Amino acid sequence: MKALLSVYDKTGLVEFARGLVDLGYEVHSTGGTKRALAEAGVPVSSVSDLTGFPEILGGRVKTLHPGVHAGILANRAEPEHMRQLEEQGLTPIDVVAVNLYPFEATVSRPGVELKDAVENIDIGGPTMVRASAKNHASVVVVVDPNEYAAVLEELRHGGPTPERRLELARAAFAHTAAYDSAISAYLGGLQPQEGWPDDFTLGGHKRQDLRYGENPHQTAALYISGTGGGVAGAKQLHGIELSYNNIVDVDAAWDLVQDLPVPSAAIIKHTNPCGAAAGATIAEAYRRAYECDTVSAFGGIVALNADCDAVTAAAIAEIFVEVVAAPGFSAEALEILGAKKKVRLLRVTPTRPSPVVKVVSGGFLVQGPDSARAERAGMTSVGRRHPTEDEWEQLLFAWRIVKHVKSNAIVLVKDHAAVGVGAGQMSRVESVQLAAQRAGERAAGTVLASDAFFPMPDGVEAAADAGVTAVIQPGGSIKDPDVLAVADARGLAMVYTGNRHFRH
């Protein structure tokens, strides 16, 4: 009996190999895997002993040979397959353990060039994995070191069973699929193409199982794709285990503060902001974000786009929050927030925007990120009264925030801080009314951002009644003249952006 081992992740390798040797397997290996086994005193032979051929082309060709692949692919139930092996002096390979060097680790290195990335694309490894998985009825294929102990135990008792072999084969194909997806994503990012490709790949590596999904009866896990970073790759510095809902909300909060000037803070509940503000310091930004809706902020998710310092940490610690996400934490901030056992502290590394994927029954939707910037150029003041310079600043700030609010979305802003948010209502006027209700007396003198056009004048009427002085919206409704007439009659400035920010 023969086993072929060639792994990047050498966790448990020596113990697995020793177990195979004890069961009577002749172990063959390559490169670093062979060295690790030899240094540990495990009897190991070179793959060249199977092929009768040396490694060539700088190691590009070492396992791509019938001595390996005929031994893997031969169907033990086919007498002709076995006859041909014997005729060629080849022997079956019964166990294959291969896992691949994570391509993401190569392309995430600073200054990596295309030629270096291409050179690190593994050919022989995926080929052996796929061949073994195809012939899983005859070959036990293992790509996850966590499976070594179970596989050894099954081999000791005449297994694995056919069902178990199928399970291992599925994991093997998933392993190579994720690997190929990473390569495809990298190459596609180097040369963006017009339109979406006919074949869209999405792969990832499981970072952790979660206690459950949105609800306790749903299972869930977190996967990392691409080069990591972002929320999926965040480092948890303190606190209890993250939940599915925590991660979804952290992503919404982090996405929002990346769109705001530094320093800024956002507080999220159920993916919607209940506060967002900029400030002279990160502590001031947090305080002003909190003041938007002090009731909803309780149990919320806080995201900062500057390092959390002691002053900010002390302010956050005054209430219960689920998570604080920031690019960094001072030692004092960690000590202050670390006194709260349940709060999770996440250090998040910014990453480039990625496609947005939503699963639907029978498939999935893919779209590019909403990367439209809040820039005055290209926007048009259409009202009888034009915005003042201060109103322009506030309108642009409000436009940055409203793109992160679920439609129908309304945000009231004053002095670079949200003071009222209306989210996810079925009618736009109700979103205006809700935002004004939350702002209360603070609504007077605010500007308003609407993620899409006003289908009726009633929304602007409600805004004017609350004390709003200027409105920014996409425009484009057949009722635009009626809406603008109300704004002019009530003395509101009106700006059309020409683009909308639906978020479903």
Side-chain angles (χ1 to χ4, degrees):
M1 298 183 296
K2 284 184 167 54
L4 197 160
L5 313 182
S6 180
V7 297
Y8 163 73
D9 183 352
K10 295 177 177 56
T11 304
L13 169 68
V14 171
E15 294 80 3
F16 184 55
R18 282 195 178 124
L20 291 172
V21 170
D22 290 344
L23 287 169
Y25 285 85
E26 182 181 300
V27 174
H28 291 261
S29 192
T30 64
T33 306
K34 183 175 181 293
R35 284 194 300 274
L37 294 176
E39 289 170 1
V42 178
V44 58
S45 301
S46 172
V47 166
S48 296
D49 295 338
L50 295 174
T51 64
F53 202 86
E55 295 182 11
I56 62 172
L57 306 184
R60 282 191 171 194
V61 176
K62 50 192 172 186
T63 61
L64 298 171
H65 188 279
V68 170
H69 287 281
I72 291 174
L73 286 166
N75 185 343
R76 311 306 193 261
E78 285 284 346
E80 182 61 18
H81 283 198
M82 305 310 292
R83 185 194 68 76
Q84 289 181 26
L85 280 187
E86 186 175 1
E87 183 180 87
Q88 298 298 326
L90 304 176
T91 55
I93 297 173
D94 306 287
V95 175
V96 173
V98 174
N99 57 63
L100 309 172
Y101 182 88
F103 183 77
E104 298 94 329
T106 297
V107 298
S108 63
R109 293 200 301 260
V112 67
E113 297 182 1
L114 176 60
K115 63 181 180 62
D116 300 319
V118 169
E119 194 59 36
N120 277 277
I121 295 175
D122 193 339
I123 301 300
T127 305
M128 287 190 292
V129 171
R130 289 174 57 82
S132 305
K134 173 176 178 171
N135 199 28
H136 62 270
S138 301
V139 180
V140 177
V141 57
V142 191
V143 295
D144 183 355
N146 292 319
E147 294 281 13
Y148 289 163
V151 168
L152 276 177
E153 189 64 22
E154 290 159 351
L155 289 171
R156 291 186 185 110
H157 295 88
T161 65
E163 293 77 16
R164 173 70 166 144
R165 288 171 176 267
L166 187 64
E167 177 187 337
L168 292 169
R170 186 215 59 78
F173 280 119
H175 188 61
T176 58
Y179 184 76
D180 287 340
S181 293
I183 297 170
S184 173
Y186 170 74
L187 297 177
L190 290 178
Q191 190 173 6
Q193 53 190 341
E194 293 186 10
W196 292 97
D198 290 339
D199 296 301
F200 185 90
T201 57
L202 181 66
H205 301 285
K206 186 167 71 174
R207 181 172 187 184
Q208 65 188 90
D209 288 307
L210 302 173
R211 285 178 297 165
Y212 52 79
E214 285 185 290
N215 300 290
H217 60 274
Q218 296 170 271
T219 59
L222 172 64
Y223 288 79
I224 294 179
S225 62
T227 57
V231 170
K235 181 174 178 59
Q236 185 167 348
L237 305 176
H238 174 74
I240 61 176
E241 181 184 356
L242 287 162
S243 73
Y244 178 99
N245 292 334
N246 289 154
I247 295 168
V248 171
D249 283 340
V250 170
D251 190 55
W254 185 252
D255 193 30
L256 169 51
V257 293
Q258 298 312 296
D259 251 352
L260 301 182
V262 179
S264 290
I267 306 173
I268 292 286
K269 280 292 274 295
H270 306 298
T271 72
N272 278 305
C274 56
T281 65
I282 193 64
E284 181 186 2
Y286 168 74
R287 177 184 58 78
R288 301 180 75 229
Y290 169 69
E291 289 171 351
C292 175
D293 188 344
T294 58
V295 174
S296 298
F298 184 86
I301 305 292
V302 176
L304 314 172
N305 63 10
D307 288 356
C308 182
D309 57 22
V311 178
T312 310
I316 295 172
E318 292 177 2
I319 65 166
F320 169 68
V321 297
E322 294 274 3
V323 183
V324 181
F329 294 81
S330 70
E332 295 84 358
L334 286 174
E335 183 177 355
I336 293 167
L337 292 170
K340 290 180 168 285
K341 293 183 178 179
K342 290 187 176 181
V343 64
R344 296 92 160 172
L345 304 181
L346 297 183
R347 186 171 66 219
V348 187
T349 303
T351 187
R352 68 179 185 178
S354 56
V356 179
V357 179
K358 291 189 182 244
V359 176
V360 298
S361 56
F364 55 88
L365 297 166
V366 183
Q367 66 173 346
D370 184 356
S371 55
R373 304 295 297 174
E375 296 175 345
R376 186 166 168 176
M379 297 182 180
T380 307
S381 173
V382 295
R384 186 177 300 157
R385 182 179 77 78
H386 298 301
T388 65
E389 286 304 308
D390 179 66
E391 283 176 327
W392 263 115
E393 281 192 27
Q394 305 310 315
L395 288 167
L396 293 174
F397 189 79
W399 192 241
R400 289 172 183 250
I401 297 173
V402 80
K403 70 181 277 191
H404 298 275
V405 181
K406 297 287 187 180
S407 302
N408 287 315
I410 297 291
V411 175
L412 302 184
V413 162
K414 181 187 290 184
D415 297 331
H416 296 95
V419 298
V421 179
Q425 302 306 301
M426 284 64 74
S427 74
R428 193 156 298 276
V429 65
E430 287 180 350
S431 286
V432 175
Q433 292 165 345
L434 182 58
Q437 175 188 328
R438 286 186 168 146
E441 294 180 355
R442 295 174 300 164
T446 60
V447 303
L448 177 152
S450 173
D451 68 327
F453 61 62
F454 286 93
M456 295 289 176
D458 52 4
V460 175
E461 284 278 13
D465 290 343
V468 170
T469 66
V471 172
I472 187 168
Q473 57 130 327
S477 168
I478 60 173
K479 293 287 188 178
D480 275 354
D482 298 335
V483 173
L484 184 57
V486 169
D488 286 341
R490 301 293 296 269
L492 276 66
M494 178 73 70
V495 170
Y496 289 170
T497 65
N499 65 291
R500 72 183 188 200
H501 282 309
F502 271 168
R503 177 166 290 216
H504 288 89

